[in-house]
């Protein structure tokens, strides 16, 4: 029988040689992830379940003074939040306090890092002393600035400024936002300094020497060589500092109590006031959801910017 008239052979399905290897790789991946599953479950229970409960509460008109007030009101609480002048004022204070603290602390941190990157006797001791404010508890920091630095009669700030006519100025009452910002800057400057100092110590000396050979002075070397190298560290410091400072509660609680009135209240403190002083669970839950969503949006945009910077740096090196 010729090949043309021979009956066709039955096609036999042969398994792909990559299928067993793929299955083993998948099983190995699950084996590596298995020890992390309890931590993941714990994180979901601790963080996401309370947030879901907050979302449910935000659609109800629940006031603790009226136990029978748990009625479903839809988005009425959110509408009340965006028309609440005190909430908008607290949001403005949050932006002002966060931006002022992060910018000033970063500028001071860059200056201190440049100084501490130089060699001089006792540099290790000076570095330790500069880092100390970041290691103090925020409550202790707030009490220190309120009762020792900003005290109107015996405070050190008025004592130093007394030759300029400032003797009994009550900083906490008459300039509450400025007082909070100064205390936060004092606390967060060492953190910014550590990040920038790590970036300075990771910079190769050959690049600076090449710039000096080409005729670049100290200022040109800093602007065109050092500052671009520090961009990743500065962006990381701004992101982390903003995430932590925007949640500031203890400093405001211990120094100003959000006052006078709500002049120095930020969003976390104002939500605390509406929850535990105003007993309005529904609107405070809606405020919390709005703050969380806004923080996630800002953090996502900042993380994308940082990742883009890292990718551009890796592409430039390759």
């Amino acid at each position: 029988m010729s090949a043309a008239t021979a009956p066709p052979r039955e096609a036999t399905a042969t398994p792909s040689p990559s299928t067993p290897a793929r299955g083993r790789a998948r099983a190995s991946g699950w084996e590596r992830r298995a020890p992390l599953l309890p931590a993941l479950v714990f994180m979901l229970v601790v963080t996401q379940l309370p947030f879901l409960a907050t979302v449910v509460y935000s659609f109800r008109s629940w006031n603790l003074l009226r136990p029978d007030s748990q009625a479903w009101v839809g988005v009425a609480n959110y509408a009340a939040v965006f028309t609440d002048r005190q909430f908008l004022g607290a949001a403005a204070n949050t932006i002002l306090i966060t931006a002022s603290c992060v910018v000033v602390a970063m500028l001071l941190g860059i200056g201190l890092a440049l100084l501490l990157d130089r060699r001089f006797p006792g540099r290790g001791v000076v570095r330790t002393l500069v880092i100390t404010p970041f290691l103090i508890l925020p409550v202790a920091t707030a009490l220190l600035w309120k009762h020792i630095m900003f005290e109107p009669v015996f405070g050190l700030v008025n004592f130093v400024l007394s030759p300029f006519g400032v003797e009994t100025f009550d900083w906490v009452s008459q300039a509450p936002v400025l007082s909070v910002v100064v205390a936060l800057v004092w606390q967060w400057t060492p953190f910014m300094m550590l990040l920038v100092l790590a970036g300075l110590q990771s910079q190769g000396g050959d690049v600076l020497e090449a710039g000096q050979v080409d005729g670049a002075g100290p200022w040109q070397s800093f602007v065109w060589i050092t500052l671009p190298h520090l961009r990743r560290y500065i962006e990381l410091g701004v992101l982390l500092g903003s995430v932590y400072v925007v949640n500031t509660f203890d400093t405001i609680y211990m120094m100003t109590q959000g006052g006078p009135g709500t002049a120095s209240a930020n969003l976390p403190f104002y939500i605390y006031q509406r929850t535990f002083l105003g007993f309005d669970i529904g609107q405070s839950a809606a405020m919390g959801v709005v703050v969380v969503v806004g923080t996630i949006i800002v953090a996502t945009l900042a993380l994308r910017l940082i990742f883009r910077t890292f990718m551009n740096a890796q592409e430039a090196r390759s």
Side-chain angles (χ1 to χ4, degrees):
M1 185 179 294
S2 63
T5 59
R9 297 180 179 179
E10 295 182 356
T12 58
T14 58
S16 174
S18 61
T19 302
R22 188 179 304 172
R24 288 193 299 268
R26 184 175 301 175
S28 176
W30 279 108
E31 290 178 359
R32 292 193 299 268
R33 298 187 189 100
L36 300 177
L37 289 179
L40 178 61
V41 173
F42 177 78
M43 184 187 68
L44 292 177
V45 171
V46 172
T47 61
Q48 301 307 310
L49 291 183
F51 179 71
L52 292 177
T54 303
V55 173
V56 174
Y57 291 153
S58 67
F59 293 106
R60 293 179 174 271
S61 63
W62 184 16
N63 193 302
L64 294 179
L65 298 179
R66 301 189 304 273
D68 57 343
S69 63
Q70 296 192 42
W72 188 269
V73 294
V75 296
N77 286 328
Y78 292 93
V81 165
F82 288 107
T83 57
D84 186 355
R85 293 184 178 180
Q86 292 182 348
F87 177 81
L88 298 179
N93 285 340
T94 303
I95 296 174
L96 177 61
I97 293 173
T98 303
S100 302
C101 174
V102 170
V103 171
V104 176
M106 178 55 70
L107 293 177
L108 293 177
I110 292 174
L112 290 174
L114 292 174
L115 292 176
L116 296 179
D117 191 46
R118 300 174 179 270
R119 296 184 179 274
F120 57 88
R123 183 175 64 170
V125 177
V126 175
R127 287 181 176 179
T128 304
L129 294 177
V130 172
I131 297 171
T132 302
F134 187 68
L135 305 179
I136 300 177
L137 293 176
V139 173
T141 299
L143 293 176
L144 183 148
W145 278 93
K146 180 179 181 180
H147 297 293
I148 298 179
M149 305 299 293
F150 287 143
E151 209 278 331
V153 179
F154 304 104
L156 295 179
V157 174
N158 285 344
F159 174 77
V160 173
L161 297 178
S162 58
F164 303 97
V166 180
E167 296 182 355
T168 59
F169 185 78
D170 193 350
W171 293 90
V172 175
S173 298
Q174 301 182 30
V177 176
L178 178 61
S179 303
V180 171
V181 169
V182 170
L184 290 175
V185 167
W186 185 78
Q187 179 184 357
W188 283 97
T189 296
F191 176 77
M192 304 298 184
M193 184 270 296
L194 284 176
L195 287 178
V196 177
L197 185 60
L200 288 174
Q201 293 183 348
S202 67
Q203 185 179 22
D206 52 348
V207 179
L208 296 176
E209 293 177 359
Q212 294 175 358
V213 171
D214 292 338
W219 178 251
Q220 288 81 6
S221 298
F222 174 75
V223 172
W224 299 105
I225 300 177
T226 303
L227 200 58
H229 174 75
L230 294 176
R231 178 181 175 182
R232 294 172 293 172
Y233 301 90
I234 293 175
E235 291 177 350
L236 181 61
V238 169
L239 174 62
L240 295 178
S242 299
V243 170
Y244 283 106
V245 175
V246 78
N247 294 315
T248 299
F249 176 83
D250 37 20
T251 302
I252 295 176
Y253 181 83
M254 299 304 299
M255 290 187 66
T256 66
Q257 289 284 325
T262 58
S264 60
N266 63 348
L267 288 175
F269 190 82
Y270 183 63
I271 294 174
Y272 157 78
Q273 287 182 319
R274 293 300 298 269
T275 306
F276 297 101
L277 301 181
F279 304 106
D280 196 336
I281 303 300
Q283 287 194 11
S284 60
M287 293 177 187
V289 173
V290 171
V291 172
V292 169
V293 172
T295 304
I296 290 175
I297 293 174
V298 174
T300 301
L301 296 176
L303 285 174
R304 287 185 178 181
L305 178 62
I306 292 177
F307 289 153
R308 186 179 304 171
T309 302
F310 274 96
M311 294 300 296
N312 292 337
Q314 291 180 356
E315 292 177 358
R317 290 179 181 179
S318 59

